[in-house]
Amino acid sequence: MDSIDLNKIRLETRGCSDLIHFNNAGASLMPVPVADYLYGFLQEEELKGGYETAAARNEELENFYTAGAQLLNAKPSEIAFVENATRAWDMVFYALPLERGDKILTTVSEYGSNLIAYLHRAKQTGAKLLVIPNDKYGQIDVEALEATVDENTKLISISHIPTGGGLVNPAKEVGEIAKKYKIPYLLDACQSAGQMPLDVQSIGCDFLSATGRKYLRGPRGTGLLYVKEDWIKRLEPPLLDQFAAELITGENYEIRADAKRFENWERYFAGQAALGRAIDYALKIGLEPIQERVFGLAAYLRTKLEETDVINLTDEGVQKCGLVTFQHRKLSAQQLKSRLFDQNVNVSISSGSGMKLSYEARNLDPLLRASVHYYNTTDEVEKFVSIIKSL
Ligand SMILES: Cc1ncc(COP(=O)(O)O)c(C=O)c1O
């Protein structure tokens, strides 16, 4: 758990001197090299003009694509900058052709906005949504998935790390089935990007969406989309502007040949370049050491919480990640969150809307979610648990 230079990393995380920040699954604290870079970019926009700054910093803006590609083991031309993970995901999902009778396969732990989009398109097109049951560990049951696939299956789409618990879905095993039956595979990696290594070649996904502000430690309002090369030209984005496509005459246009066809012209330029920096920062530390530390700290937190006798842990999965969810036996999640906030501890509440099918199936009320990052410490975990004990 200690191949990371924690002293340096904490010095480069200004917020952690005043706070115990266990809301990394909401938005993590930006590191100094990313935050200062972002402020510098914005100041240059103020002093020199937005278009002029973008032109002068073109290489830094392009770095987002090379860094994103390196993070995912993809090509820069397969990466798009989108304002958040949901829109990145939507740009692919709404581009995929669906007809009456087609089937979309997903998980019980699917993210709320994705579920809404499935239901929306099912209503529009007559396609059907099938929710694959969980295995005994709460992960998507890969055998049930394979048994459900048929010639009408047009999409497999899952959340890798769901929003409201410690579960890590078996993305690679799902990818093997998608590959075997040649079904497009969309992976929501919003919570896993920056928390664990992601290799689109070995996972076997055709599309992947991620956000900047969570485990990647980038700014808010930034996201990333990966679209496999041989899919790019086959997918017509649901929205086009004169950046995504070019007007040839007044009557026809040509859509860009790379993943930038899923972008739009006006965007958060400073955020794009800063997200590139944040990805560089994560790559420099290494995604394997990051995963080891995050998963290790979360395991320690679960053990300590279990010892208190006032907490019920609710995390599922074989391999558990940095998101730790639980209920206090006497206090509601809201009460607990505000008492912790009063003591400079940030956590969040998983209300269930983000993971409705799963919470309903398990009859869960809103949960407290404490999500740790590699810059958190065992001391913070112990302090957190002792505050909970004192309530
Ligand atoms: C699993 C999962 N998918 C998607 C999202 C949406 O991300 P964004 O808010 O960047 O659109 C979240 C956000 O919490 C999430 O946890």
Side-chain angles (χ1 to χ4, degrees), residues 25 84-87 111 114 159 161-163 188 190-191 211 213-214:
N84 56 52
T86 305
R87 237 353 138 249
Y111 186 61
N114 303 353
S159 296
I161 292 182
T163 196
D188 175 342
C190 187
Q191 296 287 359
T211 209
R213 74 184 182 282
K214 297 183 189 286

Side-chain angles (χ1 to χ4, degrees), residues 238-256:
L239 301 165
L240 289 174
D241 71 359
Q242 58 183 355
F243 174 81
E246 190 191 352
L247 273 174
I248 307 297
T249 68
E251 284 174 359
N252 62 53
Y253 59 86
E254 204 172 293
I255 308 179
R256 293 181 69 114

Side-chain angles (χ1 to χ4, degrees), residues 13 131 206 214 286 349:
T13 307
V131 179
D206 300 291
K214 297 183 189 286
I349 295 178

Side-chain angles (χ1 to χ4, degrees), residues 103-116:
K103 292 178 185 165
I104 304 167
L105 308 188
T106 190
T107 60
V108 178
S109 54
E110 188 62 348
Y111 186 61
S113 295
N114 303 353
L115 190 55
I116 289 171

